[in-house]
Amino acid sequence: MSLTGTPFFVVLLIATVLAVLATLVLWGRVRGPQPVRWLARIILIGLCQLTAICVVAVAINNSYGLYASWDDLLGTEQGAVAMPGPPVGRAKFNEGPNGIKDTYFRGAKSHLSGQVMVWTPPQYDDPAYRKTKFPVVMLLHGVPGSPQSWLEQGGMPGDLQQLVEGNAAHPFILAMPVVNPGSVDTDCTDVPNHKTATWLANDVTDLIGNHFRTAPGPKNWGLLGFSTGGFCAAKLPLQYPKKFGAGVAFDPDPLTGDPDVLTDPALRQRNSPQWLVRHAKADVGLFLATSAQDPISPPANIERLKRAAEGTPTRVRTLVLPTGGHNYGTWTRMYPAAFGWLSQELDVPRPSA
């Protein structure tokens, strides 16, 4: 049973209710010497507290993505470079609920391995679109976190489908890759022995292109991420403008880079959106959004990058919500504006004649 799945959370809720009921029923029925009765009652109280704490802990973990799996929680997660996995051509997608498909594979260029989840819109299987190739939006989770975050807390794919049905966005294939294979955070940067940027920009795109009807070219590939994923969504189009034509960053980490992640100042600078927007001269679009109340990603963070982009080919749009914290409630409120903007920046899938 998945650590971050709804079934596990429901089981814990039921266990908590049963522990409270057992305490109420058994409290006055315990027999034996007084020390035995005290011990039994202490155990009953302890069970109530333990189950309640577990419910709260799992709720916090699901909200913030602190641990993505049991292996992650227990410290038994292996390094991505050492993890085996099938190559792109032999990767098998498993069918899941709500049309979600997932696989695990090893990238030929990065030599990293990890999970990728994919959702295709209803139009993908519509006979009218049988020859249509679709644009792709890669959803990048925060760190810590996992692709599952988009389903459990991010409202995907349902929120996008509602926008499409309301003509507020056009259909996209959604790809949700792990952004820190092997639980190694590099801010989506190629570092020695861990080429995460290559994993996302080359290996994951190759995987999706090989297994799904995807339209070629940067006008058909975009990124959307939050927090660390938002940093990556702002960075990767600037580094790979021939791969990605647009990037949406919700509450991104400081766009100058995180010294705790990349300790080498030169490497950190060359991989920061703030530096790249002036030096890469990439003809791409960036949508940067945050809230006025977010202390982790203040509006000044995105405004600095917007000013840095002036006079360059990079198009920058910003959005600042008046209220909201660094959480899914804020990010989902940004969906209509973000997917509407992506629908303008990326090509529209058209049904075959």
Side-chain angles (χ1 to χ4, degrees), residues 290-304:
T290 188
S291 79
Q293 295 179 329
D294 188 346
I296 298 175
S297 184
N301 183 29
I302 63 176
E303 292 300 331
R304 278 193 294 269

Side-chain angles (χ1 to χ4, degrees), residues 20-248:
V20 172
L21 291 176
T23 301
L24 293 173
V25 171
L26 300 176
W27 188 264
R29 298 186 181 184
V30 178
R31 298 292 181 264
Q34 191 175 51
V36 173
R37 297 199 302 271
W38 286 350
L39 178 61
R41 289 168 179 170
I42 289 172
I43 291 173
L44 290 171
I45 293 171
L47 285 173
C48 292
Q49 292 181 332
L50 177 62
T51 53
I53 290 171
C54 287
V55 167
V56 173
V58 170
I60 292 173
N61 186 64
N62 288 347
S63 296
Y64 293 97
L66 302 177
Y67 297 98
S69 65
W70 289 106
D71 287 336
D72 192 12
L73 174 65
L74 299 174
T76 56
E77 192 83 62
Q78 300 178 23
V81 174
M83 287 191 285
V88 166
R90 295 207 305 270
K92 300 296 183 183
F93 278 88
N94 302 307
E95 297 284 344
N98 300 319
I100 299 294
K101 304 172 179 67
D102 77 275
T103 191
Y104 180 92
F105 84 109
R106 182 180 177 88
K109 297 180 177 69
S110 69
H111 305 296
L112 299 178
S113 301
Q115 181 191 28
V116 178
M117 305 176 76
V118 177
W119 176 80
T120 55
Q123 291 82 354
Y124 188 88
D125 297 315
D126 187 329
Y129 287 80
R130 64 187 181 279
K131 295 182 180 179
T132 301
K133 294 183 177 181
F134 284 77
V136 181
V137 173
M138 289 173 55
L139 303 180
L140 307 181
H141 62 81
V143 177
S146 74
Q148 189 76 16
S149 303
W150 291 103
L151 313 182
E152 295 287 345
Q153 290 87 41
M156 290 296 171
D159 285 3
L160 173 59
Q161 187 56 28
Q162 288 183 12
L163 293 172
V164 174
E165 291 172 354
N167 295 317
H170 63 61
F172 296 106
I173 293 173
L174 296 181
M176 294 157 273
V178 61
V179 305
N180 56 334
S183 298
V184 177
D185 180 19
T186 70
D187 270 350
C188 300
T189 298
D190 280 356
V191 299
N193 300 318
H194 216 91
K195 297 182 178 181
T196 309
T198 298
W199 156 260
L200 293 167
N202 292 299
D203 292 331
V204 174
T205 56
D206 285 351
L207 173 80
I208 306 304
N210 270 271
H211 289 268
F212 299 90
R213 295 196 316 273
T214 61
K219 289 295 288 181
N220 288 289
W221 286 82
L223 302 132
L224 185 152
F226 58 78
S227 197
T228 299
F231 176 94
C232 298
K235 175 175 99 88
L236 292 173
L238 298 172
Q239 287 186 312
Y240 297 90
K242 293 182 179 180
K243 288 280 187 178
F244 306 110
V248 175

